[in-house]
Amino acid sequence: MKEKTTWVIPSVLWALRATHKIILIPMAIIAAGFASIVVNLRASNCRTLAATPASLVRTLASSAHSLNANWASPKRKRTFGFESSAVSSDVTTPSIPVSSSSCYPEYHRLLPCPSESGPPRVEHLVVSVGGPVLEYVCKALDLPPLYVADLIYFGAVYYALVCPVPPPTATPEEIKIFKEATAPSILRKRSSIKGKTVREAQKTFRITHVNEFVEPGTYLRVHVHPKRFPRCYEIDWRSRIIAVSESYVVLDKPAGTSVGGTTDNLEESCATFATRALGFTEPLKTTHQIDNCSEGCVVFARTKEYCSVFHRKIRDKKVKKLYLALAAAPLPVGVITHYMRRVNMAPRLISEEFIEGWPLCQLEVLECKKVPWPNSVTQEKYCVEDCGWPSKDFAYECKINLLTGRTHQIRAQLAACGAPIVGDSMYMPAVIAEMTNPGINPFGKYKAQYPSENDEAVSMQERVSYYGKEPSVAIGLQACQISWDEGEHFYEAGSPWWR
């Protein structure tokens, strides 16, 4: 879904409030001063999240949401204490300074994570009056203090000293606001940007504390509905730890979780929850990624030094990864070669023929064996989506040696071979569409010749339209083994969910 974005200042916001209402999904509790998480979820069934009482959801009148930053304050160091997954009904809430004249809608926090995320939404603001971030946001946007505080803690709020250039979709009024806030006569008066180029001043940073101060003219961006990861609250994280050393931790990552967090959510991540499960005060550091919908071996560094060491090992190709993929159709044993479009967004388009500027993608299928298609109980337990594959008697478990590491590489390459991964709601629909109409893939066996680049671009956009949405929880893909230094360090994940 395309994100809705708005450029506004308080006077514009108040005009919009009367015509827009949204359901705000409360964020997870703020860590400081909290003894435990309010949660009562079973580790074995993601559908327990759907049991959240509907009466707990509050409809709040608002239109846009902004967050502020202190361009001069020191960066807060993020620390972690051990946090149990046990149920707690007695949670202490830190006091939030709010003007006594404010009249916010009543706001009750829910469980740490709702069963459904709100629609994608990003809002933008140019600060007109300086002050503490929390107070400014609450007054300007009529948002509950706890909600804004949760957003800040999640890392869903960004600032820049100077507004970035508005997008092409900006209205004349929004462009006017940008020009007023970035007029040279105005910028010359701001001591905070002296010695910086405009590009440097437009660089965004996360807001890290509710009391940070923001000066007039500061640009603010808030991800109102951060992407949520309900499975973080279901997992017994201690049982997912494969190995702990002085330098690193190896985790058997559950499907439906983010390795190191997202742009708008640092809190609900494997790094955060594994850190707490191990009782570490220093947060674990991400060294590499696997997709949110995949499971299996992930290595976290315990120090910045080892994080750099492991990154170097990856660059030098000293790290070997093996995957298990549950494909909907058989694959031949051997090396499979494709080329991937160099566009940093999903879905990833794959070509069987070389295209200038498209990076090489290679994987090796080591073995492929016929197995029963997962039954409905197993699929429901792990929230595997039914993507409409025509034959569901058998699937094919393939062991894969990843030779090049591209985002979505295994998923995209297997789909290009007509053997999409079970549960992959993004890539499987395009394969099904191509089965009935082989000519729709401009990069497949029946690649057409286009009279102009524009015609090819149109065809490419049509191709993208056949893909579906990103899976919500699990697909049939596991990083089953990881090793480095010629096998000196070797680790395996547990059995994949489909066995």
Side-chain angles (χ1 to χ4, degrees), residues 393-414:
D393 294 327
F394 297 98
Y396 299 84
E397 184 180 279
C398 304
K399 180 172 286 188
I400 294 173
N401 178 20
L402 194 59
L403 302 178
T404 58
R406 313 290 182 192
T407 301
H408 286 203
Q409 181 182 329
I410 296 177
R411 297 167 60 188
Q413 283 199 266
L414 266 58

Side-chain angles (χ1 to χ4, degrees), residues 130-164:
V133 56
L134 188 73
E135 184 176 348
Y136 180 85
V137 173
C138 292
K139 287 182 178 180
L141 308 178
D142 198 20
L143 285 177
L146 291 179
Y147 185 75
V148 176
D150 282 344
L151 286 176
I152 293 172
Y153 178 69
F154 261 51
V157 182
Y158 292 78
Y159 78 97
L161 296 177
V162 175
C163 306

Side-chain angles (χ1 to χ4, degrees), residues 12-231:
V12 178
L13 288 172
W14 289 110
L16 292 173
R17 283 189 60 235
T19 59
H20 290 75
K21 285 191 177 183
I22 62 173
I23 295 178
L24 296 178
I25 306 298
M27 305 296 101
I29 57 176
I30 301 175
F34 280 66
S36 61
I37 295 176
V38 183
V39 61
N40 186 14
L41 302 173
R42 293 179 305 209
S44 61
N45 190 348
C46 64
R47 295 192 178 273
T48 53
L49 289 167
T52 305
S55 61
L56 292 177
V57 180
R58 299 281 176 174
T59 302
L60 303 176
S62 66
S63 63
H65 308 263
S66 85
L67 299 144
N68 308 257
N70 181 1
W71 33 269
S73 67
K75 186 177 181 181
R76 181 184 63 173
K77 185 175 182 181
R78 194 174 174 88
T79 58
F80 301 87
F82 177 76
E83 188 166 319
S84 170
S85 296
V87 176
S88 173
S89 59
D90 185 16
V91 177
T92 304
T93 303
S95 61
I96 303 293
V98 183
S99 171
S100 59
S101 62
S102 62
C103 185
Y104 307 113
E106 184 180 3
Y107 178 78
H108 295 292
R109 287 179 174 178
L110 306 185
L111 296 173
C113 190
S115 58
E116 297 292 338
S117 295
R121 183 167 181 164
V122 180
E123 305 292 355
H124 307 263
L125 180 67
V126 178
V127 175
S128 58
V129 180
V133 56
L134 188 73
E135 184 176 348
Y136 180 85
V137 173
C138 292
K139 287 182 178 180
L141 308 178
D142 198 20
L143 285 177
L146 291 179
Y147 185 75
V148 176
D150 282 344
L151 286 176
I152 293 172
Y153 178 69
F154 261 51
V157 182
Y158 292 78
Y159 78 97
L161 296 177
V162 175
C163 306
V165 178
T169 55
T171 65
E173 178 63 25
E174 292 164 350
I175 294 174
K176 178 184 176 182
I177 294 170
F178 165 76
K179 290 181 177 179
E180 291 175 350
T182 58
S185 60
I186 298 297
L187 297 181
R188 281 196 295 268
K189 297 177 182 179
R190 296 178 61 185
S191 59
S192 61
I193 63 175
K194 286 185 177 179
K196 294 183 174 67
T197 64
V198 172
R199 177 168 292 186
E200 288 172 341
Q202 289 177 331
K203 186 176 181 180
T204 56
F205 300 90
R206 272 192 172 96
I207 295 172
T208 58
H209 198 277
V210 296
N211 292 324
E212 290 182 11
F213 184 89
V214 62
E215 67 175 354
T218 302
Y219 160 77
L220 304 164
R221 184 181 89 231
V222 56
H223 298 257
V224 182
H225 295 154
K227 180 175 175 60
R228 307 305 301 274
F229 296 93
R231 289 214 73 201

Side-chain angles (χ1 to χ4, degrees), residues 19 26 46 65 92 134 152 188 200 214 220 223 237-238 252 260 264 269 306 312 335 347 361 367 374 437 472 477 489:
T19 59
C46 64
H65 308 263
T92 304
L134 188 73
I152 293 172
R188 281 196 295 268
E200 288 172 341
V214 62
L220 304 164
H223 298 257
W237 289 93
R238 291 284 302 188
D252 188 353
D264 51 15
S269 69
Y306 193 77
R312 187 162 55 250
V335 175
C361 289
E367 61 181 57
N437 185 5
S472 58
L477 186 61
H489 305 274

Side-chain angles (χ1 to χ4, degrees), residues 219-454:
Y219 160 77
L220 304 164
R221 184 181 89 231
V222 56
H223 298 257
V224 182
H225 295 154
K227 180 175 175 60
R228 307 305 301 274
F229 296 93
R231 289 214 73 201
C232 285
Y233 304 97
E234 304 171 356
I235 302 300
D236 177 1
W237 289 93
R238 291 284 302 188
S239 70
R240 308 292 299 202
I241 304 298
I242 298 174
V244 179
S245 76
E246 293 182 357
S247 303
Y248 61 84
V249 170
V250 183
L251 175 74
D252 188 353
K253 173 193 172 298
T257 61
S258 169
V259 174
T262 59
T263 301
D264 51 15
N265 187 345
L266 291 176
E267 166 65 13
E268 294 170 344
S269 69
C270 293
T272 298
F273 279 78
T275 296
R276 291 177 180 156
L278 291 168
F280 294 162
T281 56
E282 287 293 322
L284 294 172
K285 296 158 183 63
T286 305
T287 63
H288 64 107
Q289 295 281 350
I290 62 174
D291 292 347
N292 296 341
C293 53
S294 303
E295 63 181 20
C297 298
V298 175
V299 177
F300 292 96
R302 296 186 62 178
T303 64
K304 289 182 179 180
E305 293 75 18
Y306 193 77
C307 191
S308 298
V309 168
F310 200 83
H311 284 160
R312 187 162 55 250
K313 292 180 185 296
I314 293 176
R315 288 195 303 270
D316 295 342
K317 301 187 182 301
K318 293 181 178 179
V319 178
K320 183 178 180 180
K321 303 174 187 177
L322 293 185
Y323 287 80
L324 286 178
L326 188 66
L331 286 166
V333 173
V335 175
I336 298 176
T337 299
H338 289 96
Y339 300 89
M340 181 179 287
R341 182 176 64 152
R342 194 187 291 275
V343 174
N344 190 27
M345 60 185 297
R348 305 296 171 127
L349 297 187
I350 290 289
S351 172
E352 296 184 8
E353 298 179 2
F354 171 78
I355 298 179
E356 186 70 32
W358 288 34
L360 174 70
C361 289
Q362 282 189 321
L363 58 80
E364 182 182 11
V365 179
L366 302 176
E367 61 181 57
C368 181
K369 61 182 180 180
K370 192 175 185 179
V371 297
W373 192 279
N375 60 44
S376 58
V377 175
T378 301
Q379 291 185 65
E380 183 175 359
K381 179 178 180 180
Y382 293 98
C383 302
V384 179
E385 299 187 38
D386 184 350
C387 306
W389 190 254
S391 175
K392 296 178 182 177
D393 294 327
F394 297 98
Y396 299 84
E397 184 180 279
C398 304
K399 180 172 286 188
I400 294 173
N401 178 20
L402 194 59
L403 302 178
T404 58
R406 313 290 182 192
T407 301
H408 286 203
Q409 181 182 329
I410 296 177
R411 297 167 60 188
Q413 283 199 266
L414 266 58
C417 293
I421 293 174
V422 172
D424 196 342
S425 55
M426 174 168 284
Y427 290 92
M428 187 177 281
V431 179
I432 295 174
E434 190 174 357
M435 290 167 64
T436 57
N437 185 5
I440 65 173
N441 184 359
F443 308 109
K445 296 179 180 179
Y446 305 96
K447 180 178 179 179
Q449 298 297 320
Y450 301 98
S452 69
E453 291 185 0
N454 182 63

